Amino acid sequence: MSVAPSSDLDRALLDTVTAAVRAAGATLRERFTADARGSGLDEIVGEIHANDAAVLDVLMPPLLTDRPGSRWAEDELAGGALPPGEWWVVDPAEGNINHVHGMPDWAVTATLVRDNRPVLTAVHLPLTGETYTAVAGLGARLDGRPLRVSAKNDLAAALTGTGQAKPGEDERTFRRIGASVTAMLVAGLVVRVSVPATLQLIHVAAGRMDAFWQFSDVRSGLVAGALLVAEAGGTVTDIDGAPWSLTSRDFLAAAPGVHAATAEVLAPIAA
């Protein structure tokens, strides 16, 4: 993945974005309970939509106001390229399904995408208070501390991960996920299979995990983590090894020392 160098305006905007995701995270935390909510699909979907609406009321106004002319990518499950210009690609409750089931793996993410390249991102985890940030060309940070990807260079010692991008994907994608997990269980040390993608990608950026892949182009789950990993010194491509972009059909982010070996294992499955 190539990222455009940041501008002074991007650096200045980071404070606004960080404050916005933290305020939105407070709203999402207030809605959290350790008890699962909803016994049927309609109830679960209703809870998910209610979370999104409550958070967007807090998150959207400051981002659009502080970046005049920017636009909002409405469909958080969409993929592919955006029209030219600046777009906010946001997930108001990344890991919403975990939130409504009383599980802790959820966050608020906001990423500024300029001409289809992520240039600034903030990911806030309300239950821990952690905030991960990155600005293109300026590195990735956790609460102000620099992040660096793993120095691992042996796939046999690697902790890797993948997961489902969204409900209702086609059967071929599900079979690829299953085959890839099996292949990486053989080639690597441990495979985590979980959602959401961003909460695995922050671990790659922080050097806690060594690689993450996904057979999907759902951009709201990838742009924040892609920028964080790239700015932490990782390698972000598609599974064939070409530079990743919003038009890529799949995704691989890894520490440089295990990236090629990971791609070699996954490429036949992605073909």
Side-chain angles (χ1 to χ4, degrees):
M1 181 186 75
S2 67
V3 292
S6 67
S7 67
D8 290 340
L9 288 176
D10 293 336
R11 289 192 288 268
L13 183 62
L14 183 60
D15 287 343
T16 295
V17 178
T18 301
V21 296
R22 287 173 175 165
T27 296
L28 195 58
R29 182 168 184 166
E30 288 171 0
R31 298 179 59 81
F32 179 68
T33 170
D35 299 320
R37 308 195 303 277
S39 58
L41 181 58
D42 288 345
E43 291 175 274
I44 292 169
V45 170
E47 293 281 0
I48 286 171
H49 288 166
N51 279 346
D52 284 345
V55 174
L56 285 173
D57 283 345
V58 178
L59 187 58
M60 185 183 290
L63 298 184
L64 291 176
T65 298
D66 277 46
R67 200 63 167 190
S70 63
R71 289 174 284 177
W72 199 267
E74 295 286 350
D75 186 354
E76 67 188 61
L77 295 179
L82 291 161
E86 292 189 337
W87 291 83
W88 289 107
V89 176
V90 168
D91 197 322
E94 169 76 325
N96 211 339
I97 192 68
N98 296 333
H99 186 283
V100 303
H101 281 87
M103 299 172 66
D105 298 331
W106 42 272
V108 178
T109 76
T111 304
L112 183 65
V113 175
R114 178 181 300 126
D115 295 330
N116 285 298
R117 293 188 291 181
V119 296
L120 179 152
T121 194
V123 176
H124 181 60
L125 281 59
L127 290 184
T128 65
E130 296 175 324
T131 306
Y132 293 77
T133 59
V135 178
L138 296 180
R141 289 173 170 76
L142 166 57
D143 295 330
R145 303 187 303 274
L147 294 175
R148 192 69 188 170
V149 295
S150 164
K152 201 82 60 71
N153 56 21
D154 181 4
L155 185 58
L159 170 55
T160 65
T162 189
Q164 180 181 350
K166 61 181 179 180
E169 294 189 87
D170 61 272
E171 183 178 348
R172 185 182 182 193
T173 297
F174 292 147
R175 291 189 179 279
R176 283 174 167 170
I177 294 170
S180 71
V181 170
T182 299
M184 288 300 296
L185 284 169
V186 173
L189 181 63
V190 173
V191 179
R192 295 184 64 191
V193 183
S194 64
V195 295
T198 302
L199 267 68
Q200 294 205 61
L201 285 164
I202 60 175
H203 291 312
V204 177
R208 305 182 197 110
M209 288 176 59
D210 304 299
F212 173 83
W213 72 93
Q214 192 171 89
F215 297 102
S216 170
D217 66 348
V218 176
R219 54 179 173 254
S220 68
L222 298 176
V223 289
L227 184 59
L228 284 162
V229 172
E231 288 298 316
T235 304
V236 182
T237 67
D238 66 15
I239 289 175
D240 289 329
W244 178 79
S245 73
L246 293 187
T247 61
S248 299
R249 67 173 185 171
D250 46 42
F251 177 89
L252 172 61
V258 299
H259 179 273
T262 305
E264 184 176 357
V265 171
L266 297 174
I269 298 165

mmCIF file of all heavy atoms in Angstrom, residues 8 11 30 53 60 70 91 110 126 132 148 151 167 202 221 229 236 241:
data_model
loop_
_atom_site.group_PDB
_atom_site.id
_atom_site.type_symbol
_atom_site.label_atom_id
_atom_site.label_comp_id
_atom_site.label_asym_id
_atom_site.label_seq_id
_atom_site.Cartn_x
_atom_site.Cartn_y
_atom_site.Cartn_z
ATOM 1 N N ASP A 8 0.356 19.647 6.754
ATOM 2 C CA ASP A 8 0.187 20.269 8.062
ATOM 3 C C ASP A 8 -1.263 20.210 8.516
ATOM 4 O O ASP A 8 -1.548 20.049 9.709
ATOM 5 C CB ASP A 8 0.657 21.720 8.010
ATOM 6 C CG ASP A 8 2.170 21.841 7.854
ATOM 7 O OD1 ASP A 8 2.869 20.859 8.173
ATOM 8 O OD2 ASP A 8 2.636 22.906 7.426
ATOM 9 N N ARG A 11 -1.970 16.796 10.057
ATOM 10 C CA ARG A 11 -1.423 16.689 11.415
ATOM 11 C C ARG A 11 -2.314 17.433 12.407
ATOM 12 O O ARG A 11 -2.592 16.941 13.502
ATOM 13 C CB ARG A 11 0.002 17.239 11.447
ATOM 14 C CG ARG A 11 1.012 16.357 10.735
ATOM 15 C CD ARG A 11 2.432 16.793 11.046
ATOM 16 N NE ARG A 11 2.765 18.054 10.397
ATOM 17 C CZ ARG A 11 3.331 18.155 9.203
ATOM 18 N NH1 ARG A 11 3.603 17.051 8.515
ATOM 19 N NH2 ARG A 11 3.619 19.331 8.685
ATOM 20 N N GLU A 30 -21.570 3.625 27.021
ATOM 21 C CA GLU A 30 -22.789 3.780 27.815
ATOM 22 C C GLU A 30 -23.864 2.785 27.388
ATOM 23 O O GLU A 30 -24.716 2.396 28.195
ATOM 24 C CB GLU A 30 -23.316 5.205 27.669
ATOM 25 C CG GLU A 30 -22.473 6.254 28.380
ATOM 26 C CD GLU A 30 -22.917 7.658 28.028
ATOM 27 O OE1 GLU A 30 -23.880 7.804 27.243
ATOM 28 O OE2 GLU A 30 -22.300 8.626 28.534
ATOM 29 N N ALA A 53 -26.596 4.427 14.949
ATOM 30 C CA ALA A 53 -27.270 5.728 14.915
ATOM 31 C C ALA A 53 -26.826 6.612 16.079
ATOM 32 O O ALA A 53 -26.557 7.808 15.915
ATOM 33 C CB ALA A 53 -28.781 5.542 14.935
ATOM 34 N N MET A 60 -20.229 12.140 13.441
ATOM 35 C CA MET A 60 -20.256 12.748 12.111
ATOM 36 C C MET A 60 -20.075 14.270 12.113
ATOM 37 O O MET A 60 -19.274 14.789 11.309
ATOM 38 C CB MET A 60 -21.568 12.363 11.396
ATOM 39 C CG MET A 60 -21.640 12.843 9.957
ATOM 40 S SD MET A 60 -23.225 12.456 9.153
ATOM 41 C CE MET A 60 -23.108 10.679 8.995
ATOM 42 N N SER A 70 -15.162 17.595 2.668
ATOM 43 C CA SER A 70 -15.065 16.140 2.770
ATOM 44 C C SER A 70 -16.462 15.528 2.719
ATOM 45 O O SER A 70 -17.458 16.178 3.026
ATOM 46 C CB SER A 70 -14.360 15.734 4.065
ATOM 47 O OG SER A 70 -15.102 16.151 5.199
ATOM 48 N N ASP A 91 -16.330 3.372 10.907
ATOM 49 C CA ASP A 91 -17.176 2.330 11.487
ATOM 50 C C ASP A 91 -17.544 2.782 12.887
ATOM 51 O O ASP A 91 -16.695 2.800 13.788
ATOM 52 C CB ASP A 91 -16.477 0.976 11.525
ATOM 53 C CG ASP A 91 -17.477 -0.151 11.730
ATOM 54 O OD1 ASP A 91 -18.438 0.045 12.514
ATOM 55 O OD2 ASP A 91 -17.326 -1.214 11.118
ATOM 56 N N ALA A 110 -12.287 5.984 12.633
ATOM 57 C CA ALA A 110 -12.518 7.050 11.654
ATOM 58 C C ALA A 110 -11.246 7.233 10.840
ATOM 59 O O ALA A 110 -10.167 7.454 11.409
ATOM 60 C CB ALA A 110 -12.904 8.359 12.337
ATOM 61 N N PRO A 126 -13.102 1.846 23.678
ATOM 62 C CA PRO A 126 -13.691 2.482 24.862
ATOM 63 C C PRO A 126 -13.506 1.715 26.162
ATOM 64 O O PRO A 126 -13.410 2.335 27.231
ATOM 65 C CB PRO A 126 -15.175 2.600 24.493
ATOM 66 C CG PRO A 126 -15.177 2.652 22.999
ATOM 67 C CD PRO A 126 -14.088 1.727 22.582
ATOM 68 N N TYR A 132 -5.442 4.276 19.055
ATOM 69 C CA TYR A 132 -4.405 4.048 18.049
ATOM 70 C C TYR A 132 -4.569 5.091 16.953
ATOM 71 O O TYR A 132 -5.684 5.314 16.461
ATOM 72 C CB TYR A 132 -4.542 2.650 17.438
ATOM 73 C CG TYR A 132 -4.267 1.517 18.399
ATOM 74 C CD1 TYR A 132 -5.208 1.132 19.352
ATOM 75 C CD2 TYR A 132 -3.064 0.816 18.354
ATOM 76 C CE1 TYR A 132 -4.962 0.093 20.233
ATOM 77 C CE2 TYR A 132 -2.808 -0.228 19.228
ATOM 78 C CZ TYR A 132 -3.757 -0.581 20.164
ATOM 79 O OH TYR A 132 -3.505 -1.622 21.049
ATOM 80 N N ARG A 148 5.559 -0.390 16.389
ATOM 81 C CA ARG A 148 6.440 -1.051 15.428
ATOM 82 C C ARG A 148 5.991 -2.488 15.265
ATOM 83 O O ARG A 148 5.677 -3.165 16.253
ATOM 84 C CB ARG A 148 7.894 -1.019 15.924
ATOM 85 C CG ARG A 148 8.912 -1.417 14.870
ATOM 86 C CD ARG A 148 8.993 -0.355 13.788
ATOM 87 N NE ARG A 148 9.814 -0.796 12.657
ATOM 88 C CZ ARG A 148 9.894 -0.145 11.511
ATOM 89 N NH1 ARG A 148 9.201 0.979 11.343
ATOM 90 N NH2 ARG A 148 10.643 -0.582 10.537
ATOM 91 N N ALA A 151 9.377 -8.209 14.649
ATOM 92 C CA ALA A 151 10.648 -8.529 13.974
ATOM 93 C C ALA A 151 10.712 -10.000 13.584
ATOM 94 O O ALA A 151 11.749 -10.472 13.131
ATOM 95 C CB ALA A 151 11.814 -8.184 14.891
ATOM 96 N N PRO A 167 -21.615 -10.455 7.386
ATOM 97 C CA PRO A 167 -22.570 -11.547 7.244
ATOM 98 C C PRO A 167 -22.956 -11.740 5.784
ATOM 99 O O PRO A 167 -22.918 -10.799 4.981
ATOM 100 C CB PRO A 167 -23.781 -11.076 8.061
ATOM 101 C CG PRO A 167 -23.267 -9.986 8.937
ATOM 102 C CD PRO A 167 -22.153 -9.341 8.185
ATOM 103 N N ILE A 202 -4.689 -3.903 14.679
ATOM 104 C CA ILE A 202 -3.940 -3.106 15.650
ATOM 105 C C ILE A 202 -2.886 -3.959 16.341
ATOM 106 O O ILE A 202 -1.808 -3.457 16.703
ATOM 107 C CB ILE A 202 -4.859 -2.410 16.685
ATOM 108 C CG1 ILE A 202 -5.669 -3.423 17.491
ATOM 109 C CG2 ILE A 202 -5.753 -1.385 16.014
ATOM 110 C CD1 ILE A 202 -6.493 -2.797 18.610
ATOM 111 N N GLY A 221 -13.514 -1.933 7.333
ATOM 112 C CA GLY A 221 -12.788 -2.818 8.232
ATOM 113 C C GLY A 221 -11.307 -2.897 7.958
ATOM 114 O O GLY A 221 -10.571 -3.529 8.728
ATOM 115 N N VAL A 229 -0.726 -0.380 10.147
ATOM 116 C CA VAL A 229 0.330 -1.367 9.904
ATOM 117 C C VAL A 229 1.423 -0.786 9.013
ATOM 118 O O VAL A 229 2.621 -0.937 9.287
ATOM 119 C CB VAL A 229 -0.253 -2.653 9.295
ATOM 120 C CG1 VAL A 229 0.864 -3.600 8.857
ATOM 121 C CG2 VAL A 229 -1.166 -3.360 10.294
ATOM 122 N N VAL A 236 1.797 -4.115 3.431
ATOM 123 C CA VAL A 236 0.363 -4.222 3.184
ATOM 124 C C VAL A 236 0.155 -4.401 1.687
ATOM 125 O O VAL A 236 0.476 -3.515 0.893
ATOM 126 C CB VAL A 236 -0.394 -2.983 3.686
ATOM 127 C CG1 VAL A 236 -1.897 -3.138 3.460
ATOM 128 C CG2 VAL A 236 -0.106 -2.740 5.168
ATOM 129 N N GLY A 241 0.598 -10.300 -3.434
ATOM 130 C CA GLY A 241 1.788 -9.499 -3.202
ATOM 131 C C GLY A 241 1.810 -8.155 -3.888
ATOM 132 O O GLY A 241 2.778 -7.399 -3.740
#
